Amino acid sequence: MYNDGKLGKQLVYIADYTQSSTPNLDAFLKEWNVQVDYSSVIDENNSTNQEVNILLSQSNNRSFVAPVVTVTDEEDYTGNLANASLPIVAPMARPIQTLTANNGRTVTALLTSSDTSYCYPLSPKDYSTDSTAVADGSADSQEATEAATEAAATTTSFDKDSAPQGQNTVMALCRDQQSTGDAFIESDVIVLGSMSMLDVNLVQNSAYNNAEYFVGLLN
């Protein structure tokens, strides 16, 4: 990303609720002043969430109640949506926190949840490194994987009624911009908190703005 001082590089990092512990990636993101929390953004307010009735390819044929997220007013990164009334949804999105650091890099929230959202804690998934435990597509291995995922994602002591509510960032832009005297050079890292936001069945659905926003943002 530093590119021998010339910058000019772009990178997209997509986090997901199914991830195991990622200490190296976490350290890299910290250098860009962000942290992806191990929790999932939930919003039960009827005016700011929408049932995603399509089958997400990674969801084992389950539908999600996914928060509708808002595009921030950052002028250069609105995605130039043709129909801004269509929702952008963020199924099982992990929130992105901005860290304070005096390194000249800035963080801009691109997509945020509403003020009524809260975060449900998750645990990093613990995947076996035993070669005999690699998923082989069988019913037994799939069932075991699903069971482990469900167990890791459950926090029995969580009380949603006492959980803090507020906006949560689910997509952020990290910028390293430097002056060369008469111009600026820049490297960027886009951080997305949910792989499900770009699920093939979701981005092909014309009822949502997920695909158009993401493509517009990259452009």
Side-chain angles (χ1 to χ4, degrees):
M1 301 300 293
Y2 184 65
N3 196 22
D4 294 326
K6 296 179 290 186
L7 303 184
K9 297 295 183 179
Q10 288 79 40
L11 180 144
V12 177
Y13 171 67
I14 304 176
D16 197 62
Y17 76 101
T18 61
Q19 282 175 293
S20 58
S21 179
T22 56
N24 293 333
L25 286 169
D26 294 346
F28 170 78
L29 294 174
K30 185 177 181 180
E31 294 179 0
W32 288 83
N33 302 349
V34 291
Q35 171 182 301
V36 184
D37 285 353
Y38 277 104
S39 59
S40 178
V41 178
I42 306 294
D43 193 344
E44 296 173 344
N45 186 308
N46 288 333
S47 65
T48 54
N49 71 63
Q50 182 163 331
E51 183 80 20
V52 181
N53 287 316
I54 57 176
L55 300 180
L56 300 181
S57 62
Q58 68 174 42
S59 68
N60 299 319
N61 295 333
R62 292 176 296 174
S63 62
F64 289 103
V65 176
V68 170
V69 292
T70 302
V71 179
T72 62
D73 294 329
E74 181 71 11
E75 182 178 356
D76 294 333
Y77 300 97
T78 57
N80 297 316
L81 300 173
N83 183 0
S85 65
L86 295 177
I88 301 173
V89 292
M92 297 299 293
R94 292 170 58 188
I96 302 164
Q97 305 294 335
T98 300
L99 305 177
T100 301
N102 187 24
N103 57 14
R105 291 171 174 168
T106 62
V107 179
T108 301
L110 298 178
L111 295 176
T112 58
S113 62
S114 79
D115 291 333
T116 60
S117 68
Y118 62 90
C119 294
Y120 182 85
L122 303 172
S123 298
K125 306 303 179 287
D126 184 15
Y127 294 118
S128 172
T129 56
D130 184 349
S131 61
T132 63
V134 175
D136 58 5
S138 68
D140 289 343
S141 64
Q142 182 176 352
E143 183 178 351
T145 301
E146 292 176 9
T149 300
E150 291 294 336
T154 300
T155 304
T156 56
S157 61
F158 179 71
D159 180 9
K160 69 176 183 179
D161 294 329
S162 61
Q165 294 187 352
Q167 288 187 347
N168 288 281
T169 299
V170 299
M171 181 186 286
L173 171 68
C174 312
R175 284 181 283 197
D176 185 358
Q177 191 178 69
Q178 300 179 19
S179 172
T180 61
D182 57 351
F184 284 95
I185 56 176
E186 182 176 329
S187 281
D188 306 311
V189 175
I190 292 176
V191 182
L192 183 60
S194 170
M195 186 167 63
S196 297
M197 291 179 67
L198 299 179
D199 183 272
V200 61
N201 292 320
L202 181 54
V203 297
Q204 290 179 350
N205 192 320
S206 60
Y208 303 102
N209 257 337
N210 286 45
E212 185 170 358
Y213 174 76
F214 192 71
V215 172
L217 170 67
L218 294 181
N219 288 339

